[in-house]
Amino acid sequence: MHLAYPAVLAALLFCVGLYGVLARRNAILVLMSVELMLNAVNLNLVAFDVWLRDTLHTGQALTLFVIAIAAAEIGIGLAIVLMVYRNRGTSDIDRLRDTAEGPDGTATPAQQAPTQKTEATA
């Protein structure tokens, strides 16, 4: 088998995943796109391992580590997304930007409002 077939497939998968990360607004779909990119890397690792006829199978061993890291990433990422959804009622990435700092490093108006309320009650 030629190396070009799995390499082109992996490149296409990686491009689809990259598009999903850059264009999607839903946090769960962004996590799925990251998983797609990691699977494209795994496909490349295994394809080059077979093509080079490595006796130690380092590409396949590294693929197992990438799968383990991907499983941990999706577990932690999904837990964070679920907690954000419970607190905010949405998993839309654009709506979660109100927790960011302003351009001059100060807190945004949404962050300043709770401090004003605590000062008024104290």
Side-chain angles (χ1 to χ4, degrees), residues 81-101:
V81 169
L82 286 174
M83 289 305 297
V84 167
Y85 183 77
R86 283 184 187 171
N87 290 336
R88 307 245 177 187
T90 184
S91 63
D92 188 9
I93 294 174
D94 291 335
R95 292 190 181 173
L96 299 177
R97 295 186 189 265
D98 63 347
T99 59
E101 293 181 356

Side-chain angles (χ1 to χ4, degrees), residues 22-90:
L22 296 176
R24 298 292 180 183
R25 293 185 178 175
N26 190 348
I28 294 176
L29 291 177
V30 171
L31 287 174
M32 288 174 59
S33 298
V34 170
E35 290 294 321
L36 198 61
M37 290 178 3
L38 288 172
N39 285 329
V41 171
N42 285 340
L43 183 61
N44 264 337
L45 285 170
V46 171
F48 276 96
D49 183 50
V50 170
W51 184 64
L52 293 173
R53 294 186 179 99
D54 187 16
T55 56
L56 295 176
H57 300 293
T58 53
Q60 294 177 20
L62 190 58
T63 298
L64 291 175
F65 285 113
V66 172
I67 290 172
I69 290 171
E73 175 258 334
I74 199 68
I76 293 172
L78 191 58
I80 291 171
V81 169
L82 286 174
M83 289 305 297
V84 167
Y85 183 77
R86 283 184 187 171
N87 290 336
R88 307 245 177 187
T90 184

